[in-house]
Amino acid sequence: MLKAMLGEAWLAMGANRLRTALTMLGMVIGVGAVVIMMAIGQGAQYAVQQTISTMGSNLFIVLSGSFTASGVRSGSAGAPSLSVADADTIAELDGVVHVAPTHQGRRQLVYGSQNWSANVVGTTPEYLDARAWTIASGAAFGDSDVRSATRVALLGKTTAQNLFGDEDPVGKTMRIQQNPFIVIGVLGSKGQNLDGNDQDDTVIIPLSTAQRKVFGTPFLGSVRMIMVQADSAEAMPKVMDSVTSLLRQRHRLRDGMPDDFFMRNLSAAAESEAETTRTMSILLGAIASISLLVGGIGIMNIMLVSVTERTREIGIRMAIGARQKDILSQFLLEAVMISFAGCLLGLLIGLGVALGINFFTGMVIVVSGSAAIIAFAVAAGVGIFFGWYPAQKAARLDPIEALRYQ
Amino acid sequence: MSPGANESVIRVVGLGKSYETAAGLFPALKGVNLDIKSGEYIAIMGPSGSGKSTFMNLLGCLDTPSTGDYFLAGRNVAHMDKDALAVLRNRTLGFVFQGFNLLPRMSLQDNVALPLVYAGDDKETRRAKARELLGKVGLGQYAESLPNRISGGQQQRVAIARALVNSPRLILADEPTGNLDSHTSEEIMRLFGELNAEGITIVLVTHENDIAAHAKRQVKFLDGEIVSDHLTAQVPA
Ligand SMILES: Nc1ncnc2c1ncn2[C@@H]1O[C@H](COP(=O)(O)OP(=O)(O)O)[C@@H](O)[C@H]1O
Ligand SMILES: [Mg+2]
């Protein structure tokens, strides 16, 4: 029965191809917009998750701003205003999970005849936890390595590959600024960050070793940057406030004097980028709903025309035994089929556009099965909702009146 | 006489139908009484506008009467709802129209099989029965053709095959030869004669005497009333 009816609906659609195609247009645009919206929206969601999972969540950094006593900024040449002792006291604050004083810079690495320039990060073991780094092979360094300034290094995957090729770097000795370092581990891969930088092109070494051997800081015990991880996104503002007051107090800044440090919320940067994309997908959502509405009205309109044109056919069908529900389902099925066909086309076009957006702008998109399911559910819904009235009109026709219709 | 000959297939009692018109209610049928036994072959006659089609539409369960009762195979259908009437149209009787009323986009086989779709038969059964009946009306070779490929007489035979496909014991035909030339009309009447010989009850409307002469009984309408009811043998030629 259903198969026979599907066949008939297909014939009816094919009887007036141009009209059917034009009717589908609204659905095509609507579903296309839904697909693009979901691809971009889910892409944004994914990008945030990705950033958070690779960057670490609820992170902010405190950067030292170097000031002279008169309050004039003297540039990075002066002594950094932050100290390792600052980091230790920040760690005592409520809501702080991890604190890592950090000093980083790009340096040349040498292994045998291989050269490679990578981002060298001098820090404490907590940095690995805060940034959610994993150890792929070997082991991490510990607090004792920081205390005794051992020359050990953890390599990011990209750095390891470029310097060691197929060799296993663990246990090998390489040089940073002429100083030999023993590679004790290789980090798990993180890939690119939101800015497109390769996070795996890095070397992590103990802070004290970095300051003494690599960056040559004359002010031991001071740092340019402290990374702080709060225990939740909600706690971030409060934690940042208490860090501010703690540092002002420790640096003996009187009221009215400017901070000699500044803070940046890393997670918020990722969030706000995602927010922009979300706004865009909401806009697309609005376009989608309007097109679906217009598409639905188009289907209703064409079905009403179809019912009028086929009044006689309806009369004949009733005369040979079609019940009201048979006529109803015939026209409903036709509306849903037009809707589905439009949906299928819209799905393909939407996918194409989403992939195009990804190709040309590099925006992260996520194509998921749920987008297709939602699109088809919407199509069925639109078909049934807007097909109902015309189908009902057809089913309620009087057989005699319908047969007499010319 | 065939078995069950005394059983009424159709019995109408005081059957009336009035139409709403601009000039008020118009009584097209004024309390008709008629009893049709199984296996009968009846011609309904009368001038244009005498109420023949109105009466046939009521018999065919296409319309409902304003007054009176209609017993079809013993069941009063005067007050049945639309869907119950649809089931009767589908299973209990076959209706043949003056204008053939085939669906133009469907093959002849699909046209003949359409009542079986609404009866819920599966595809194989539908195909087999439609083929069988197209063969019976002599059009088996055109099964896949569209209706516009064949002549009017052939289309009417397809319509008769469609009316027969659910094996009804009653065929109603409203001026089935009205659109056909006399030669083709004869062929159609021969087909009705064969069906009646198989025991199928036939009621057909015509205003031509030589067509009516094929029937065994002739009922004459005038102004919404039956004015005569004879066996054909007794009708003066
Ligand atoms: N739907 C209708 N509305 C109003 N009057 C009708 C309608 N159908 C038929 N009639 C009138 O009822 C009378 C009988 O019509 P009909 O049964 O078609 O006669 P016949 O088939 O004998 O020519 C005619 O006068 C016709 O005009
Ligand atoms: Mg008539």
Side-chain angles (χ1 to χ4, degrees):
Chain A
M1 179 83 180
L2 185 70
K3 236 171 109 187
M5 287 178 65
L6 276 172
E8 282 187 28
W10 181 249
L11 272 180
M13 278 173 71
N16 210 328
R17 286 199 192 93
L18 180 64
R19 196 167 86 181
T20 309
L22 289 175
T23 307
M24 278 170 10
L25 213 54
M27 287 304 296
V28 172
I29 294 170
V31 170
V34 169
V35 171
I36 297 168
M37 171 189 83
M38 291 198 58
I40 291 178
Q42 291 185 326
Q45 200 67 34
Y46 175 80
V48 173
Q49 276 167 6
Q50 199 63 13
T51 313
I52 286 173
S53 71
T54 64
M55 188 183 72
S57 50
N58 315 320
L59 288 179
F60 65 93
I61 48 175
V62 188
L63 293 159
S64 83
S66 308
F67 292 93
T68 59
S70 63
V72 177
R73 195 168 181 173
S74 67
S76 53
S81 58
L82 300 172
S83 66
V84 175
D86 286 338
D88 291 341
T89 45
I90 289 172
E92 310 283 306
L93 290 173
D94 274 353
V96 171
V97 183
H98 291 297
V99 176
T102 303
H103 196 143
Q104 57 185 346
R106 195 154 271 277
R107 288 294 184 274
Q108 195 76 13
L109 315 181
V110 182
Y111 172 71
S113 59
Q114 291 295 318
N115 270 290
W116 185 252
S117 161
N119 183 38
V120 178
V121 181
T123 188
T124 58
E126 285 200 39
Y127 179 82
L128 298 175
D129 296 322
R131 293 282 321 269
W133 277 109
T134 56
I135 306 291
S137 66
F141 57 80
D143 288 320
S144 62
D145 292 294
V146 179
R147 270 196 303 277
S148 43
T150 55
R151 282 177 291 199
V152 293
L154 297 168
L155 297 191
K157 207 172 130 229
T158 306
T159 310
Q161 264 162 8
N162 283 288
L163 211 52
F164 291 89
D166 293 335
E167 273 183 72
D168 179 8
V170 178
K172 303 274 163 36
T173 302
M174 61 162 193
R175 285 169 187 280
I176 310 175
Q177 304 280 95
Q178 310 307 324
N179 292 288
F181 278 77
I182 297 172
V183 178
I184 57 167
V186 177
L187 300 164
S189 178
K190 274 178 187 278
Q192 295 188 344
N193 65 10
L194 265 191
D195 302 328
N197 294 323
D198 182 1
Q199 302 183 84
D200 297 327
D201 189 10
T202 194
V203 180
I204 300 177
I205 57 179
L207 176 66
S208 48
T209 322
Q211 290 184 321
R212 279 176 212 170
K213 307 286 183 192
V214 179
F215 300 113
T217 318
F219 314 101
L220 284 179
S222 63
V223 285
R224 296 208 177 280
M225 180 176 119
I226 299 173
M227 183 167 281
V228 184
Q229 183 176 38
D231 61 6
S232 69
E234 296 73 49
M236 288 275 272
K238 228 185 75 207
V239 173
M240 286 170 88
D241 280 350
S242 41
V243 168
T244 304
S245 43
L246 176 78
L247 290 179
R248 284 188 68 88
Q249 188 192 332
R250 284 180 56 84
H251 297 180
R252 303 204 164 76
L253 298 174
R254 276 176 273 116
D255 288 350
M257 282 176 73
D259 292 344
D260 59 355
F261 56 90
F262 47 99
M263 287 191 270
R264 220 170 70 197
N265 186 333
L266 297 182
S267 305
E271 281 290 348
S272 77
E273 191 155 333
E275 198 51 49
T276 316
T277 332
R278 267 189 221 119
T279 311
M280 203 167 117
S281 73
I282 287 170
L283 201 74
L284 266 167
I287 295 174
S289 8
I290 292 169
S291 325
L292 286 175
L293 185 73
V294 172
I297 292 171
I299 289 176
M300 177 138 109
N301 184 37
I302 227 64
M303 289 312 292
L304 283 172
V305 171
S306 176
V307 168
T308 306
E309 280 179 352
R310 287 153 70 189
T311 299
R312 195 174 170 79
E313 174 192 325
I314 295 165
I316 295 170
R317 287 174 181 276
M318 286 177 158
I320 61 173
R323 287 152 298 181
Q324 297 195 52
K325 67 167 188 203
D326 295 322
I327 302 293
L328 184 84
S329 36
Q330 180 189 341
F331 281 89
L332 216 47
L333 197 69
E334 223 174 289
V336 171
M337 262 176 80
I338 292 177
S339 188
F340 259 59
C343 171
L344 202 67
L345 258 173
L347 210 61
L348 293 177
I349 291 173
L351 263 179
V353 172
L355 289 174
I357 288 176
N358 171 255
F359 184 79
F360 288 111
T361 71
M363 187 184 282
V364 183
I365 61 155
V366 171
V367 175
S368 64
S370 64
I373 291 169
I374 287 177
F376 275 105
V378 163
V382 166
I384 291 172
F385 184 82
F386 289 98
W388 186 264
Y389 175 70
Q392 184 84 338
K393 207 177 153 190
R396 290 205 175 142
L397 284 174
D398 182 66
I400 284 292
E401 300 285 336
L403 277 171
R404 213 176 272 141
Y405 187 88
Q406 286 307 323
Chain B
M1 279 267 154
S2 56
N6 293 325
E7 179 189 316
S8 288
V9 174
I10 286 173
R11 191 159 68 83
V12 298
V13 183
L15 201 67
K17 178 77 185 178
S18 300
Y19 292 113
E20 305 242 20
T21 65
L25 271 190
F26 174 79
L29 214 57
K30 303 166 182 166
V32 170
N33 298 303
L34 190 66
D35 199 355
I36 301 174
K37 306 284 186 203
S38 179
E40 281 203 272
Y41 186 176
I42 296 187
I44 307 254
M45 305 197 55
S48 189
S50 58
K52 305 183 298 292
S53 292
T54 302
F55 184 60
M56 288 301 274
N57 290 340
L58 290 175
L59 293 191
C61 299
L62 289 163
D63 210 352
T64 45
S66 311
T67 56
D69 289 305
Y70 168 25
F71 299 91
L72 175 62
R75 292 164 67 205
N76 193 351
V77 305
H79 307 292
M80 281 188 181
D81 68 18
K82 282 184 158 194
D83 281 354
L85 293 177
V87 172
L88 285 177
R89 291 196 293 271
N90 187 247
R91 317 247 164 115
T92 311
L93 57 88
F95 207 104
V96 178
F97 301 90
Q98 178 173 355
F100 323 136
N101 277 344
L102 299 178
L103 293 185
R105 278 197 305 267
M106 279 187 183
S107 71
L108 300 184
Q109 177 178 307
D110 287 346
N111 262 287
V112 172
L114 199 53
L116 299 174
V117 170
Y118 295 122
D121 284 347
D122 64 46
K123 195 175 175 181
E124 258 326 294
T125 314
R126 295 202 303 261
R127 213 186 90 91
K129 277 207 188 172
R131 289 267 176 181
E132 178 198 327
L133 279 149
L134 274 175
K136 183 174 175 132
V137 299
L139 292 169
Q141 72 272 34
Y142 295 116
E144 306 294 344
S145 307
L146 291 177
N148 61 10
R149 309 293 298 172
I150 56 174
S151 73
Q154 290 170 322
Q155 287 188 47
Q156 191 61 299
R157 287 206 235 165
V158 174
I160 292 170
R162 181 178 65 187
L164 290 169
V165 78
N166 255 334
S167 318
R169 300 203 31 230
L170 171 66
I171 294 285
L172 303 171
D174 191 354
E175 305 208 32
T177 60
N179 287 6
L180 303 175
D181 62 52
S182 59
H183 175 71
T184 322
S185 297
E186 279 302 316
E187 286 179 9
I188 296 294
M189 292 317 292
R190 201 154 47 238
L191 182 55
F192 278 125
E194 285 164 22
L195 294 175
N196 181 243
E198 289 171 22
I200 294 174
T201 311
I202 293 174
V203 182
L204 66 81
V205 170
T206 183
H207 49 242
E208 292 174 58
N209 285 325
D210 44 352
I211 296 292
H214 288 266
K216 293 177 187 162
R217 180 179 163 192
Q218 299 182 17
V219 174
K220 213 167 236 132
F221 273 66
L222 187 65
D223 293 336
E225 286 171 310
I226 293 179
V227 291
S228 76
D229 186 349
H230 301 284
L231 292 183
T232 298
Q234 300 163 347
V235 174

